[in-house]
Amino acid sequence: MVDEKEVMDALSKVKDPELGASIVRLGMVRKVEIKGNDVTVYVDLTTPACPLKDEVEARVKASLSELKEIGKIEVKVGAKVNPSRIIMPEDILPTVKNVIAIASGKGGVGKTTVACNLAIALANLGAKVGLLDGDIYGPSVPRIMGVKEPPKTDGKKIYPPEVHNVKVISVGFFITEDTPLIWRGPIISNVLKQLITEVEWGDLDYLIVDLPPGTGDIPLTLAQTLPLAGVIIVTTPQPTSYTIATKSLQMFKKLNTNIIGIIENMSYFICPHCGKRSEIFGYGGGKAIAEKLNMPFLGEIPLDSFIRERSDEGQPITIDISHNEASRCYYEIAKKVAARISVIALSKYAKQDVKNI
Ligand code: ADP
C-alpha cells in the first residue's frame, strides 16, 4: 500500500521549473488523496497563466511513478496567485494581489496597446484582471478596449465596467478634452487619488496600470503611491528609444521598484498582403539591451497593422487567443509576466533577493 509519507517525500523532490524550489516547500501541493495505490494530487500553480503547467504535471507524475506499489496517478492542476506584498495598506487597493505598472520613456511606442492586450491575455488565461488607465496625456484605454458605459457610482465607491473579461477604469472617464488646461493639474491629482482609493475592484490577481509616458511628476507620484509588484518598460527597436527607455529604467531603479522586464514593440514588420517578415529597424536589439542592462527580456511584438485596426475598433487582437502571430506573442509575454510576478511574490515570502531565485 502506498502511504501519505512516501507520496509527500516523492512530491518534495519535484521542483517548480520556473522557481527552482520544491513544490511542497512553495506550498503548491493543496491536497493529496490516496485510495489503495491510486493517488490524486491537487497542485496549485502560482498563476493560471503558468507557462510550464504541462511540465509541472509531468514532473509530479514522473516522481510518483518511481514509488514501488503506485497505481493510477492523477494530477489536478489549479492556480492560486500570491500577493507580491505581504502588508496591505488599508486604503490602497486592498483587494488587489499584484499591481503591475506599464511605462515607457516616450509616447507613441505602443504602451497603452500593450497594457490592454496584456490585461486581456492574462484574463483569458484564467486570472482576475483590472486595468487602470493613468495616462493623463492621452487616456485611450476606453477606446481601445471598446468600453461603452462609464463607471457606476453610489456616491462612495466607483464601480468599473467590465469588457473582454477585464475591469476598466480610466482618467478619461473623469477628464474630457474640454477640461480647461488650467484646471488640469489639481483635477488630475485629485482624480488619480480618487481612482486609487475609491474604485471597488473586487478581488483581482493583477491590476495593470498604464502610466503616462516619461519620467515626469505624475508617473513618479503614481509609482510611489501604488503598491507595485513591479514595472514593465515598453520600447521600440530604434536606438533613440532605448536611450529614452533607459532613463525610465533608472527612475524606477531609484525608487526601488522591481523591473519585471522589457517588451520590445514594433520589433519587425509583417506584410499585411503576403505575411512576409522584415526587420526594418534591425533585429535582436531589444534582447541585447535587456542583457546589457541586466533586465529580463519579456519578448517582442511585431509591427502589424492588424493590431492598430483592432484597437481602433475596440476589439484588441488578443480577444482571439491564437488569431495570428501578434496575438500569440502577447500570450507568450503574458505567461512570462505572470511567472516573473510569481517569483517576485514568492521571494517576498522567502525574503530572498529576486535575482537570486
Ligand atoms: P502609447 O501608449 O505608447 O502612446 P499607443 O498604444 O497609443 O502608444 O500606440 C500608438 C499607435 O501605434 C496606435 O495607433 C496603435 O494602434 C499603434 N500600435 C501600437 N502597437 C502596434 C504594433 N505592434 N503594430 C502596429 N501598430 C501598433
Side-chain angles (χ1 to χ4, degrees), residues 104 106-114 135 140 143-144 210 213 265-266 301-309 311-312 330:
S104 66
K106 58 171 188 161
V109 299
K111 173 180 56 59
T112 307
T113 311
V114 168
D135 189 346
S140 48
R143 181 180 54 80
I144 296 177
D210 186 24
N265 189 31
M266 309 184 189
I301 298 153
L303 177 67
D304 183 345
S305 56
F306 203 46
I307 294 182
R308 186 193 49 73
E309 283 162 29
S311 292
D312 290 347
Y330 276 120

Coordinates of all heavy atoms in Angstrom, one line a residue, residues 104 106-114 135 140 143-144 210 213 265-266 301-309 311-312 330, ligand 1:
S104 N 6.8 53.8 -20.3 CA 7.7 53.9 -21.5 C 8.4 55.2 -21.4 O 7.9 56.1 -20.6 CB 6.8 53.9 -22.8 OG 6.0 55.1 -22.8
K106 N 8.9 57.4 -23.8 CA 8.2 58.4 -24.5 C 6.9 57.9 -25.1 O 6.6 56.6 -25.0 CB 9.1 58.9 -25.7 CG 9.5 57.7 -26.6 CD 10.2 58.3 -27.8 CE 10.4 57.1 -28.8 NZ 10.7 57.6 -30.2
G107 N 6.0 58.8 -25.6 CA 4.7 58.4 -26.1 C 4.9 57.7 -27.5 O 5.9 57.8 -28.2
G108 N 3.8 57.0 -27.9 CA 3.8 56.5 -29.3 C 4.5 55.2 -29.5 O 4.5 54.7 -30.6
V109 N 5.0 54.6 -28.4 CA 5.7 53.3 -28.6 C 4.8 52.1 -28.5 O 5.2 51.0 -28.7 CB 6.9 53.1 -27.6 CG1 7.9 54.2 -27.8 CG2 6.4 53.1 -26.2
G110 N 3.5 52.4 -28.2 CA 2.5 51.3 -28.1 C 2.3 50.8 -26.7 O 1.7 49.7 -26.4
K111 N 2.6 51.7 -25.7 CA 2.5 51.3 -24.3 C 1.0 50.9 -23.9 O 0.8 49.9 -23.3 CB 3.0 52.5 -23.4 CG 2.7 52.4 -21.9 CD 3.2 53.6 -21.2 CE 2.7 54.9 -21.7 NZ 1.2 55.0 -21.6
T112 N 0.1 51.8 -24.3 CA -1.3 51.5 -24.0 C -1.8 50.3 -24.7 O -2.6 49.5 -24.1 CB -2.2 52.8 -24.4 OG1 -1.6 53.9 -23.8 CG2 -3.6 52.6 -23.9
T113 N -1.4 50.1 -25.9 CA -1.8 48.9 -26.7 C -1.3 47.7 -26.0 O -2.0 46.7 -25.8 CB -1.3 49.0 -28.1 OG1 -1.6 50.3 -28.7 CG2 -1.9 47.9 -29.0
V114 N -0.1 47.7 -25.5 CA 0.5 46.6 -24.8 C -0.3 46.4 -23.5 O -0.7 45.2 -23.1 CB 2.0 46.8 -24.5 CG1 2.5 45.8 -23.5 CG2 2.8 46.8 -25.7
D135 N -2.9 57.3 -17.9 CA -2.2 58.1 -18.9 C -3.0 59.4 -19.1 O -3.8 59.5 -20.0 CB -2.0 57.4 -20.2 CG -1.1 58.1 -21.1 OD1 -0.8 59.3 -20.9 OD2 -0.6 57.5 -22.1
S140 N -6.4 56.6 -23.7 CA -7.0 55.9 -24.8 C -7.5 54.5 -24.5 O -8.0 53.8 -25.4 CB -6.1 55.9 -26.0 OG -4.8 55.5 -25.6
R143 N -11.2 53.7 -25.4 CA -11.4 53.5 -26.9 C -10.9 52.1 -27.3 O -11.5 51.4 -28.0 CB -10.7 54.6 -27.6 CG -10.9 54.6 -29.1 CD -10.2 55.7 -29.9 NE -8.8 55.8 -29.5 CZ -7.8 55.1 -30.1 NH1 -8.1 54.1 -30.9 NH2 -6.6 55.2 -29.7
I144 N -9.6 51.8 -26.9 CA -9.0 50.6 -27.4 C -9.8 49.3 -26.8 O -10.0 48.4 -27.6 CB -7.5 50.5 -26.9 CG1 -6.7 51.6 -27.6 CG2 -6.9 49.1 -27.2 CD1 -5.3 51.7 -27.1
D210 N -1.6 51.7 -16.7 CA -1.0 52.3 -17.8 C -0.5 53.7 -17.3 O -1.3 54.6 -17.1 CB -2.0 52.4 -18.9 CG -1.4 53.0 -20.2 OD1 -0.2 52.8 -20.4 OD2 -2.2 53.6 -21.0
P213 N 3.6 58.5 -20.2 CA 5.0 58.2 -20.7 C 6.0 59.2 -20.0 O 5.5 60.2 -19.4 CB 4.9 58.5 -22.2 CG 3.7 59.4 -22.3 CD 2.8 59.0 -21.3
N265 N 8.2 46.5 -28.6 CA 7.1 46.6 -29.5 C 7.5 47.0 -30.9 O 8.5 47.7 -31.1 CB 6.0 47.6 -28.9 CG 4.7 47.5 -29.7 OD1 4.3 46.5 -30.2 ND2 4.0 48.6 -29.7
M266 N 6.7 46.7 -31.9 CA 7.0 47.0 -33.3 C 8.4 46.5 -33.7 O 9.2 47.2 -34.4 CB 6.9 48.5 -33.5 CG 5.6 49.1 -33.0 SD 5.5 50.9 -33.4 CE 4.0 51.4 -32.4
I301 N 6.9 42.1 -30.0 CA 5.6 42.1 -30.7 C 5.9 42.8 -32.1 O 6.5 43.8 -32.2 CB 4.6 43.0 -29.9 CG1 4.4 42.3 -28.5 CG2 3.3 43.1 -30.6 CD1 4.0 43.3 -27.5
P302 N 5.4 42.1 -33.1 CA 5.6 42.6 -34.4 C 4.8 43.9 -34.7 O 3.9 44.2 -34.0 CB 5.1 41.5 -35.4 CG 4.1 40.7 -34.6 CD 4.6 40.8 -33.1
L303 N 5.3 44.7 -35.7 CA 4.6 45.8 -36.2 C 3.6 45.2 -37.2 O 3.9 44.7 -38.2 CB 5.6 46.8 -36.9 CG 5.0 48.0 -37.6 CD1 4.4 49.0 -36.6 CD2 6.1 48.7 -38.4
D304 N 2.3 45.3 -36.8 CA 1.3 44.6 -37.6 C 0.1 45.6 -37.7 O -0.5 45.9 -36.6 CB 0.9 43.3 -37.0 CG -0.1 42.5 -37.7 OD1 -0.7 43.1 -38.6 OD2 -0.2 41.3 -37.4
S305 N -0.3 46.0 -38.9 CA -1.4 46.9 -39.0 C -2.7 46.4 -38.4 O -3.6 47.2 -38.0 CB -1.6 47.3 -40.4 OG -1.9 46.2 -41.2
F306 N -2.8 45.1 -38.3 CA -4.0 44.5 -37.7 C -4.1 44.9 -36.2 O -5.3 45.0 -35.7 CB -3.8 43.0 -37.9 CG -5.1 42.2 -37.8 CD1 -6.2 42.6 -38.6 CD2 -5.2 41.0 -37.1 CE1 -7.4 41.9 -38.5 CE2 -6.4 40.3 -37.0 CZ -7.4 40.7 -37.7
I307 N -3.0 45.0 -35.6 CA -3.1 45.4 -34.1 C -3.7 46.8 -34.0 O -4.6 47.0 -33.2 CB -1.6 45.5 -33.5 CG1 -1.0 44.1 -33.5 CG2 -1.6 46.2 -32.1 CD1 0.4 44.1 -32.9
R308 N -3.3 47.7 -34.9 CA -3.9 49.1 -34.9 C -5.4 49.0 -35.2 O -6.3 49.6 -34.6 CB -3.1 50.0 -35.8 CG -3.6 51.5 -35.7 CD -3.1 52.3 -36.8 NE -3.3 51.8 -38.1 CZ -4.4 51.7 -38.7 NH1 -5.5 52.2 -38.2 NH2 -4.5 51.2 -40.0
E309 N -5.7 48.3 -36.3 CA -7.1 48.2 -36.8 C -8.0 47.7 -35.7 O -9.1 48.2 -35.4 CB -7.2 47.3 -38.0 CG -6.8 47.9 -39.3 CD -6.5 46.9 -40.4 OE1 -7.2 45.8 -40.3 OE2 -5.6 47.1 -41.2
S311 N -7.5 47.7 -32.5 CA -7.5 48.6 -31.4 C -8.5 49.7 -31.7 O -9.3 50.2 -30.9 CB -6.2 49.3 -31.1 OG -5.3 48.4 -30.6
D312 N -8.5 50.2 -32.9 CA -9.4 51.3 -33.3 C -10.9 50.8 -33.3 O -11.8 51.6 -33.1 CB -9.1 51.8 -34.8 CG -7.7 52.5 -34.8 OD1 -7.2 52.9 -33.7 OD2 -7.2 52.8 -35.9
Y330 N 1.7 38.2 -27.6 CA 1.1 38.7 -26.4 C 0.9 37.6 -25.3 O 1.1 37.8 -24.1 CB -0.2 39.5 -26.7 CG 0.0 40.9 -27.1 CD1 -0.5 41.3 -28.4 CD2 0.6 41.8 -26.4 CE1 -0.4 42.6 -28.8 CE2 0.7 43.1 -26.8 CZ 0.2 43.5 -28.0 OH 0.4 44.8 -28.5
Ligands
ADP1 P1 1.5 54.9 -26.5 O1 0.6 54.5 -25.4 O2 2.9 54.5 -26.2 O3 1.4 56.4 -26.7 P2 -0.3 53.6 -28.3 O4 -0.5 52.3 -27.6 O5 -1.4 54.6 -28.2 O6 1.1 54.2 -27.8 O7 0.0 53.2 -29.8 C1 0.3 54.3 -30.7 C2 -0.2 53.8 -32.1 O8 0.5 52.7 -32.6 C3 -1.7 53.4 -32.1 O9 -2.3 53.8 -33.3 C4 -1.6 51.9 -32.0 O10 -2.7 51.2 -32.6 C5 -0.4 51.6 -32.8 N1 0.4 50.4 -32.5 C6 0.8 50.0 -31.2 N2 1.5 48.8 -31.3 C7 1.5 48.5 -32.6 C8 2.0 47.3 -33.3 N3 2.7 46.4 -32.7 N4 1.8 47.3 -34.7 C9 1.1 48.3 -35.3 N5 0.6 49.3 -34.7 C10 0.8 49.4 -33.3

